[in-house]
Amino acid sequence: MPPLLLSVIGLLGYVDLWTGADTTQSVRANILDASRAVLSERGVEQIAEPILDDVMKGGRPDVISLGFLFALWSGSRAVNVFIDTITVMYGLDGVRASSRPGCSPSSCSSWRC
């Protein structure tokens, strides 16, 4: 599961009283239906259902925290790769001041060092 989705599912245990049990069951059913499109029935029964049951039984602060940390890390990595791709596309590979060794704002007279 994507980390952000895992965090949101872990949060459902805390907001279950506000949303109602039918919302939680509806989300569970939708996730299992979507996983059936990717996994076999055996994979859904042995992998997806036990994970969902474990994560959705009450609030899970560990799952929420780790999920958000992984989502933040993977998102920042994706942005970094996107920026690197743009710099290569425009022929500026290795020119960015933040990527040059020994270049700090105090030692640079211009953005190229």
Side-chain angles (χ1 to χ4, degrees):
M1 276 192 218
L4 188 59
L5 180 63
L6 193 62
S7 295
V8 170
I9 292 170
L11 238 146
L12 282 177
Y14 287 112
V15 297
D16 194 27
L17 297 174
W18 299 329
T19 60
D22 57 339
T23 304
T24 306
Q25 292 304 319
S26 173
V27 168
R28 183 181 185 279
N30 287 337
I31 291 172
L32 289 176
D33 287 342
S35 64
R36 282 186 181 89
V38 179
L39 301 172
S40 66
E41 191 62 36
R42 182 177 170 207
V44 171
E45 291 173 0
Q46 292 181 354
I47 297 172
E49 281 188 45
I51 289 174
L52 275 177
D53 292 340
D54 189 40
V55 170
M56 293 180 89
K57 65 173 183 185
R60 295 287 307 265
D62 55 340
V63 171
I64 296 168
S65 299
L66 288 175
F68 278 124
L69 284 175
F70 284 138
L72 182 66
W73 175 77
S74 63
S76 67
R77 179 70 185 135
V79 169
N80 189 24
V81 168
F82 181 68
I83 290 171
D84 287 343
T85 302
I86 290 174
T87 57
V88 168
M89 183 176 69
Y90 283 106
L92 300 173
D93 192 26
V95 178
R96 285 182 31 207
S98 63
S99 65
R100 294 188 56 131
C103 182
S104 66
S106 61
S107 67
C108 293
S109 59
S110 69
W111 66 275
R112 289 191 170 201
C113 288

